[in-house]
Coordinates of all heavy atoms in Angstrom, one line a residue:
L1 N -130.6 -80.5 124.2 CA -131.8 -80.2 123.4 C -131.7 -78.8 123.0 O -131.6 -77.9 123.9 CB -133.1 -80.5 124.1 CG -134.4 -80.3 123.4 CD1 -134.5 -81.3 122.2 CD2 -135.6 -80.5 124.3
A2 N -131.7 -78.5 121.7 CA -131.7 -77.1 121.3 C -133.0 -76.8 120.6 O -133.4 -77.4 119.6 CB -130.6 -76.9 120.3
L3 N -133.8 -75.8 121.2 CA -135.0 -75.3 120.6 C -134.7 -74.2 119.8 O -134.1 -73.2 120.2 CB -136.0 -75.0 121.7 CG -136.3 -76.1 122.7 CD1 -137.3 -75.5 123.8 CD2 -137.0 -77.2 122.0
C4 N -135.0 -74.2 118.5 CA -134.5 -73.2 117.5 C -135.7 -72.5 116.8 O -136.5 -73.2 116.2 CB -133.6 -73.9 116.5 SG -132.3 -74.8 117.2
A5 N -135.6 -71.2 116.8 CA -136.6 -70.4 116.1 C -136.2 -70.2 114.7 O -137.0 -69.9 113.8 CB -136.8 -69.0 116.8
S6 N -134.9 -70.5 114.4 CA -134.3 -70.2 113.1 C -134.0 -71.6 112.4 O -133.3 -72.4 113.0 CB -133.1 -69.4 113.2 OG -132.3 -69.5 112.0
D7 N -134.4 -71.8 111.2 CA -134.1 -73.0 110.4 C -132.6 -73.1 110.2 O -132.0 -74.2 110.3 CB -134.8 -73.0 109.0 CG -136.3 -73.1 109.1 OD1 -136.8 -73.6 110.2 OD2 -136.9 -72.8 108.1
V8 N -131.9 -72.0 110.0 CA -130.5 -71.9 109.8 C -129.8 -72.5 111.1 O -128.9 -73.3 111.0 CB -130.0 -70.5 109.4 CG1 -128.5 -70.5 109.4 CG2 -130.6 -70.1 108.1
V9 N -130.1 -72.0 112.2 CA -129.5 -72.4 113.5 C -129.8 -73.9 113.7 O -129.0 -74.6 114.1 CB -130.0 -71.5 114.7 CG1 -129.5 -72.1 116.0 CG2 -129.6 -70.1 114.5
E10 N -131.0 -74.3 113.5 CA -131.4 -75.7 113.7 C -130.6 -76.6 112.8 O -130.1 -77.6 113.3 CB -132.9 -75.9 113.4 CG -133.4 -77.3 113.7 CD -134.8 -77.5 113.5 OE1 -135.5 -76.6 113.0 OE2 -135.3 -78.6 113.9
R11 N -130.4 -76.2 111.5 CA -129.5 -77.1 110.7 C -128.1 -77.1 111.1 O -127.4 -78.1 111.1 CB -129.6 -76.6 109.2 CG -130.9 -77.0 108.5 CD -130.8 -76.7 107.0 NE -130.5 -75.3 106.7 CZ -131.4 -74.4 106.5 NH1 -132.6 -74.6 106.7 NH2 -131.0 -73.2 106.2
R12 N -127.5 -76.0 111.6 CA -126.2 -75.9 112.1 C -126.0 -76.8 113.3 O -125.0 -77.5 113.4 CB -125.7 -74.5 112.4 CG -125.5 -73.6 111.2 CD -125.1 -72.3 111.6 NE -124.9 -71.4 110.4 CZ -124.8 -70.1 110.4 NH1 -124.7 -69.5 111.6 NH2 -124.6 -69.4 109.3
L13 N -126.9 -76.7 114.2 CA -126.8 -77.5 115.5 C -127.1 -79.0 115.3 O -126.6 -79.8 116.0 CB -127.7 -76.9 116.5 CG -127.3 -75.6 117.1 CD1 -128.4 -75.0 118.0 CD2 -126.0 -75.7 117.8
A14 N -127.9 -79.3 114.2 CA -128.2 -80.7 114.0 C -127.0 -81.6 113.7 O -127.1 -82.8 113.9 CB -129.2 -80.8 112.9
I15 N -125.9 -81.0 113.2 CA -124.7 -81.8 112.9 C -123.8 -81.9 114.1 O -122.7 -82.5 114.0 CB -124.0 -81.2 111.7 CG1 -123.5 -79.8 111.9 CG2 -124.9 -81.3 110.5 CD1 -122.6 -79.3 110.8
V16 N -124.1 -81.2 115.2 CA -123.2 -81.3 116.4 C -123.5 -82.5 117.2 O -124.7 -82.8 117.5 CB -123.4 -80.0 117.3 CG1 -122.6 -80.1 118.5 CG2 -123.1 -78.7 116.5
W17 N -122.5 -83.3 117.5 CA -122.7 -84.6 118.2 C -123.3 -84.3 119.5 O -122.9 -83.5 120.3 CB -121.3 -85.3 118.3 CG -121.5 -86.6 119.0 CD1 -121.7 -87.8 118.3 CD2 -121.4 -87.0 120.3 NE1 -121.8 -88.8 119.2 CE2 -121.6 -88.3 120.5 CE3 -121.2 -86.2 121.5 CZ2 -121.6 -89.0 121.7 CZ3 -121.2 -86.9 122.7 CH2 -121.4 -88.3 122.8
G18 N -124.4 -85.1 119.8 CA -125.0 -85.0 121.1 C -126.1 -84.0 121.2 O -126.7 -83.8 122.3
V19 N -126.3 -83.2 120.2 CA -127.3 -82.1 120.2 C -128.5 -82.6 119.4 O -128.4 -83.0 118.3 CB -126.8 -80.8 119.6 CG1 -127.9 -79.8 119.6 CG2 -125.7 -80.3 120.5
E20 N -129.7 -82.6 120.1 CA -131.0 -82.9 119.4 C -131.7 -81.5 119.2 O -131.8 -80.8 120.1 CB -131.8 -83.8 120.3 CG -133.1 -84.2 119.7 CD -133.9 -85.1 120.6 OE1 -133.2 -85.9 121.3 OE2 -135.1 -85.1 120.5
T21 N -132.1 -81.3 118.0 CA -132.8 -80.0 117.7 C -134.3 -80.2 117.6 O -134.8 -81.2 117.1 CB -132.2 -79.3 116.5 OG1 -132.5 -80.1 115.3 CG2 -130.7 -79.1 116.6
R22 N -135.0 -79.1 117.9 CA -136.4 -79.0 117.7 C -136.8 -77.6 117.3 O -136.3 -76.7 117.9 CB -137.2 -79.4 119.0 CG -137.0 -80.7 119.5 CD -138.2 -81.6 119.5 NE -137.9 -82.9 119.8 CZ -138.2 -83.5 121.0 NH1 -138.8 -82.8 121.9 NH2 -137.9 -84.7 121.2
P23 N -137.7 -77.4 116.4 CA -138.1 -76.1 116.0 C -139.1 -75.5 117.1 O -139.7 -76.3 117.8 CB -138.9 -76.2 114.7 CG -139.4 -77.7 114.8 CD -138.4 -78.4 115.5
I24 N -139.1 -74.2 117.3 CA -139.9 -73.6 118.3 C -140.5 -72.3 117.6 O -139.8 -71.6 116.9 CB -139.2 -73.2 119.6 CG1 -140.1 -72.6 120.6 CG2 -138.1 -72.3 119.3 CD1 -139.5 -72.4 122.0
D25 N -141.8 -72.1 117.8 CA -142.5 -71.0 117.2 C -142.5 -69.9 118.3 O -143.2 -69.9 119.3 CB -143.9 -71.3 116.9 CG -144.7 -70.2 116.2 OD1 -144.1 -69.1 116.1 OD2 -145.8 -70.4 115.8
V26 N -141.6 -68.9 118.1 CA -141.4 -67.9 119.1 C -142.6 -67.0 119.3 O -142.8 -66.4 120.3 CB -140.2 -67.0 118.9 CG1 -138.9 -67.8 119.2 CG2 -140.2 -66.4 117.6
S27 N -143.5 -66.9 118.3 CA -144.7 -66.1 118.4 C -145.6 -66.7 119.5 O -146.3 -65.9 120.1 CB -145.4 -65.9 117.1 OG -145.9 -67.2 116.6
H28 N -145.6 -68.0 119.6 CA -146.4 -68.6 120.6 C -145.7 -68.8 122.0 O -146.3 -69.0 123.0 CB -146.9 -70.0 120.1 CG -147.9 -69.9 119.0 ND1 -147.5 -70.0 117.7 CD2 -149.2 -69.7 119.0 CE1 -148.6 -69.9 117.0 NE2 -149.6 -69.7 117.7
A29 N -144.4 -68.8 121.9 CA -143.6 -69.0 123.1 C -143.0 -67.7 123.8 O -142.5 -67.8 124.8 CB -142.4 -69.9 122.8
A30 N -143.2 -66.6 123.1 CA -142.7 -65.4 123.7 C -143.2 -65.1 125.1 O -144.4 -65.3 125.4 CB -143.1 -64.2 122.8
G31 N -142.3 -64.9 126.0 CA -142.7 -64.6 127.4 C -142.8 -65.9 128.2 O -142.9 -65.9 129.4
R32 N -142.8 -67.1 127.5 CA -142.9 -68.4 128.2 C -141.9 -69.3 127.8 O -142.0 -70.5 127.8 CB -144.3 -69.0 128.1 CG -145.4 -68.3 127.5 CD -146.7 -69.2 127.4 NE -146.7 -70.0 126.2 CZ -146.7 -71.4 126.2 NH1 -146.8 -72.0 127.3 NH2 -146.7 -72.1 125.1
V33 N -140.7 -68.8 127.3 CA -139.7 -69.6 126.8 C -139.2 -70.7 127.8 O -139.0 -71.8 127.5 CB -138.5 -68.8 126.3 CG1 -137.3 -69.6 125.9 CG2 -138.9 -67.9 125.2
H34 N -139.1 -70.3 129.1 CA -138.6 -71.2 130.1 C -139.6 -72.4 130.3 O -139.2 -73.5 130.4 CB -138.4 -70.5 131.4 CG -137.3 -69.4 131.3 ND1 -137.7 -68.1 131.2 CD2 -136.0 -69.5 131.1 CE1 -136.6 -67.4 131.1 NE2 -135.6 -68.2 131.0
E35 N -140.9 -72.1 130.3 CA -141.9 -73.1 130.4 C -141.9 -74.0 129.2 O -142.0 -75.2 129.4 CB -143.3 -72.4 130.5 CG -144.5 -73.3 130.6 CD -145.8 -72.6 130.6 OE1 -145.8 -71.4 131.0 OE2 -146.8 -73.1 130.1
V36 N -141.8 -73.5 128.0 CA -141.8 -74.3 126.8 C -140.6 -75.2 126.8 O -140.6 -76.3 126.4 CB -141.9 -73.4 125.5 CG1 -141.6 -74.2 124.3 CG2 -143.2 -72.7 125.5
A37 N -139.4 -74.6 127.2 CA -138.2 -75.4 127.2 C -138.3 -76.6 128.2 O -138.0 -77.7 127.8 CB -137.0 -74.5 127.6
R38 N -138.9 -76.3 129.4 CA -139.0 -77.4 130.3 C -140.0 -78.5 129.8 O -139.7 -79.7 129.9 CB -139.6 -76.9 131.6 CG -139.9 -78.0 132.6 CD -140.0 -77.6 134.1 NE -138.8 -77.1 134.7 CZ -137.8 -78.0 135.1 NH1 -137.9 -79.3 134.9 NH2 -136.7 -77.5 135.6
Q39 N -141.1 -78.1 129.1 CA -142.0 -79.1 128.6 C -141.3 -79.9 127.5 O -141.5 -81.1 127.4 CB -143.2 -78.4 128.0 CG -144.1 -77.7 129.0 CD -145.2 -76.9 128.4 OE1 -145.2 -76.6 127.2 NE2 -146.1 -76.4 129.2
Q40 N -140.5 -79.3 126.6 CA -139.9 -80.0 125.5 C -138.8 -80.9 126.1 O -138.7 -82.1 125.6 CB -139.2 -79.0 124.6 CG -140.2 -78.2 123.7 CD -140.9 -79.1 122.7 OE1 -140.3 -80.0 122.1 NE2 -142.1 -78.8 122.5
V41 N -138.1 -80.5 127.1 CA -137.0 -81.4 127.6 C -137.7 -82.6 128.3 O -137.2 -83.7 128.1 CB -136.2 -80.6 128.7 CG1 -135.3 -81.5 129.5 CG2 -135.3 -79.6 127.9
Q42 N -138.8 -82.4 129.0 CA -139.5 -83.5 129.6 C -140.1 -84.4 128.6 O -140.0 -85.7 128.7 CB -140.5 -83.0 130.6 CG -139.9 -82.4 131.9 CD -140.9 -81.8 132.8 OE1 -142.1 -81.8 132.5 NE2 -140.4 -81.3 133.9
S43 N -140.7 -83.9 127.5 CA -141.3 -84.7 126.5 C -140.3 -85.5 125.7 O -140.6 -86.6 125.2 CB -142.2 -83.9 125.6 OG -141.5 -83.1 124.8
A44 N -139.1 -85.0 125.7 CA -138.0 -85.7 125.0 C -137.4 -86.8 125.9 O -136.5 -87.6 125.4 CB -136.9 -84.8 124.5
G45 N -137.8 -86.8 127.1 CA -137.3 -87.8 128.1 C -135.9 -87.5 128.6 O -135.2 -88.4 129.1
L46 N -135.5 -86.2 128.5 CA -134.2 -85.8 128.9 C -134.2 -85.3 130.4 O -133.1 -85.1 130.9 CB -133.7 -84.7 128.0 CG -133.5 -85.2 126.5 CD1 -133.2 -84.0 125.6 CD2 -132.5 -86.3 126.4
A47 N -135.4 -85.1 130.9 CA -135.5 -84.7 132.3 C -136.8 -85.1 132.9 O -137.8 -85.3 132.1 CB -135.3 -83.1 132.4
S48 N -136.9 -85.2 134.2 CA -138.1 -85.5 134.8 C -138.6 -84.3 135.6 O -137.8 -83.4 135.9 CB -137.9 -86.7 135.8 OG -137.4 -87.8 135.2
P49 N -139.9 -84.3 136.0 CA -140.4 -83.2 136.8 C -139.5 -83.0 138.0 O -139.2 -84.0 138.7 CB -141.8 -83.6 137.1 CG -142.2 -84.4 136.0 CD -141.0 -85.2 135.6
G50 N -139.1 -81.8 138.3 CA -138.3 -81.6 139.5 C -136.8 -81.5 139.2 O -136.0 -81.0 140.0
D51 N -136.4 -82.1 138.1 CA -135.0 -82.0 137.7 C -134.6 -80.6 137.4 O -135.4 -79.8 136.9 CB -134.7 -82.9 136.4 CG -134.7 -84.3 136.7 OD1 -134.7 -84.7 137.9 OD2 -134.6 -85.1 135.8
R52 N -133.3 -80.2 137.6 CA -132.8 -78.9 137.2 C -132.4 -79.0 135.8 O -131.8 -79.9 135.3 CB -131.6 -78.5 138.1 CG -132.0 -78.2 139.5 CD -130.9 -77.4 140.2 NE -131.2 -77.2 141.5 CZ -131.8 -76.1 141.9 NH1 -132.3 -75.2 141.1 NH2 -132.1 -75.9 143.2
I53 N -132.7 -77.9 135.1 CA -132.3 -77.8 133.7 C -131.6 -76.4 133.5 O -131.9 -75.5 134.2 CB -133.4 -78.0 132.6 CG1 -134.5 -77.0 132.8 CG2 -134.0 -79.4 132.7 CD1 -135.5 -77.0 131.7
V54 N -130.7 -76.3 132.6 CA -130.0 -75.0 132.3 C -130.6 -74.6 130.9 O -130.6 -75.3 129.9 CB -128.5 -75.2 132.2 CG1 -127.9 -73.9 131.7 CG2 -128.0 -75.7 133.5
I55 N -131.1 -73.3 130.9 CA -131.7 -72.7 129.8 C -130.8 -71.6 129.3 O -130.6 -70.6 130.1 CB -133.1 -72.3 130.1 CG1 -134.0 -73.4 130.6 CG2 -133.8 -71.6 128.8 CD1 -135.3 -73.1 131.2
L56 N -130.4 -71.6 128.0 CA -129.7 -70.5 127.4 C -130.6 -69.9 126.4 O -131.1 -70.6 125.5 CB -128.4 -71.0 126.8 CG -127.4 -71.6 127.7 CD1 -126.2 -72.2 126.9 CD2 -126.8 -70.5 128.6
V57 N -130.7 -68.6 126.4 CA -131.6 -67.9 125.4 C -130.8 -66.8 124.8 O -130.1 -66.0 125.5 CB -132.8 -67.4 126.1 CG1 -133.7 -66.7 125.1 CG2 -133.6 -68.5 126.8
G58 N -130.9 -66.6 123.5 CA -130.4 -65.5 122.8 C -131.6 -64.7 122.3 O -132.5 -65.2 121.6
T59 N -131.7 -63.4 122.7 CA -132.8 -62.6 122.3 C -132.4 -61.6 121.2 O -131.2 -61.5 120.9 CB -133.3 -61.7 123.5 OG1 -132.3 -60.8 123.9 CG2 -133.8 -62.6 124.7
V60 N -133.3 -61.0 120.5 CA -133.0 -60.1 119.4 C -132.1 -59.0 119.9 O -131.4 -58.4 119.1 CB -134.3 -59.6 118.7 CG1 -135.0 -60.7 118.1 CG2 -135.2 -58.9 119.7
F61 N -132.2 -58.6 121.2 CA -131.4 -57.5 121.7 C -129.9 -57.9 121.7 O -129.1 -57.0 121.8 CB -131.9 -57.1 123.1 CG -133.3 -56.7 123.1 CD1 -134.3 -57.5 123.7 CD2 -133.8 -55.6 122.4 CE1 -135.6 -57.2 123.7 CE2 -135.1 -55.2 122.4 CZ -136.0 -56.0 123.0
A62 N -129.6 -59.1 121.8 CA -128.2 -59.6 121.9 C -127.5 -59.6 120.6 O -126.3 -59.6 120.5 CB -128.2 -61.0 122.5
G63 N -128.3 -59.5 119.5 CA -127.7 -59.5 118.2 C -127.5 -61.0 117.7 O -127.9 -61.9 118.3
S64 N -127.0 -61.1 116.5 CA -126.8 -62.4 115.8 C -125.8 -63.2 116.6 O -124.7 -62.7 117.0 CB -126.3 -62.1 114.4 OG -126.1 -63.3 113.7
D65 N -126.1 -64.5 116.7 CA -125.1 -65.5 117.2 C -124.7 -65.2 118.7 O -123.6 -65.4 119.1 CB -123.9 -65.6 116.4 CG -124.2 -66.2 115.0 OD1 -125.2 -66.9 114.9 OD2 -123.4 -65.9 114.1
A66 N -125.6 -64.6 119.5 CA -125.3 -64.2 120.8 C -126.3 -64.8 121.8 O -127.5 -65.0 121.5 CB -125.2 -62.7 121.0
T67 N -125.9 -65.2 123.0 CA -126.7 -65.6 124.1 C -126.6 -64.6 125.2 O -125.5 -64.2 125.6 CB -126.2 -67.0 124.6 OG1 -126.3 -67.9 123.5 CG2 -127.1 -67.5 125.7
N68 N -127.8 -64.1 125.7 CA -127.7 -63.1 126.7 C -128.6 -63.4 127.9 O -128.7 -62.6 128.8 CB -128.1 -61.7 126.2 CG -129.5 -61.7 125.6 OD1 -130.2 -62.7 125.4 ND2 -130.1 -60.5 125.5
V69 N -129.1 -64.7 128.0 CA -129.9 -65.1 129.2 C -129.4 -66.5 129.5 O -129.4 -67.4 128.7 CB -131.4 -65.1 128.9 CG1 -132.1 -65.6 130.1 CG2 -131.8 -63.7 128.5
L70 N -129.1 -66.7 130.8 CA -128.8 -68.1 131.3 C -129.7 -68.2 132.6 O -129.7 -67.4 133.4 CB -127.4 -68.2 131.7 CG -127.0 -69.5 132.3 CD1 -126.0 -70.3 131.5 CD2 -126.6 -69.3 133.7
K71 N -130.4 -69.3 132.6 CA -131.3 -69.6 133.8 C -131.1 -71.0 134.2 O -131.2 -71.9 133.3 CB -132.7 -69.3 133.5 CG -133.7 -69.5 134.7 CD -135.1 -69.2 134.4 CE -135.9 -69.4 135.6 NZ -137.3 -69.2 135.4
V72 N -130.9 -71.3 135.4 CA -130.9 -72.6 136.0 C -132.3 -72.8 136.6 O -132.6 -72.1 137.6 CB -129.8 -72.9 137.0 CG1 -129.9 -74.3 137.6 CG2 -128.5 -72.6 136.4
D73 N -133.1 -73.7 136.1 CA -134.5 -73.8 136.5 C -134.7 -75.1 137.2 O -134.3 -76.2 136.8 CB -135.4 -73.7 135.3 CG -136.8 -73.6 135.6 OD1 -137.2 -73.0 136.6 OD2 -137.6 -74.1 134.8

């Protein structure tokens, strides 16, 4: 599941086999990205409460097309 703040990124990932995309409003999710990601994964039926999920985040500090945070939650 790819939560995308950018329409461009969402369209690019939508054509990748096995990837389901969803838009995310970062103005409402800032500081709670991990919580929002867990909620979205569970609502999509891809994980149950207590399951481990891997969260990759690219922040504005990383620059374009970069991921600079990895969390196993």
Side-chain angles (χ1 to χ4, degrees):
L1 180 66
L3 304 177
C4 305
S6 163
D7 292 339
V8 172
V9 173
E10 186 175 6
R11 283 193 304 272
R12 286 180 183 170
L13 289 174
I15 64 170
V16 177
W17 185 86
V19 175
E20 182 179 329
T21 63
R22 300 244 172 104
I24 185 172
D25 184 355
V26 291
S27 64
H28 291 93
R32 350 179 276 119
V33 172
H34 302 105
E35 177 187 332
V36 171
R38 176 163 290 284
Q39 291 170 352
Q40 289 290 324
V41 168
Q42 289 175 356
S43 70
L46 299 172
S48 300
D51 286 353
R52 290 197 181 272
I53 62 172
V54 176
I55 302 168
L56 297 170
V57 179
T59 65
V60 294
F61 304 112
S64 178
D65 297 332
T67 300
N68 62 343
V69 177
L70 175 122
K71 180 177 182 184
V72 178
D73 188 36

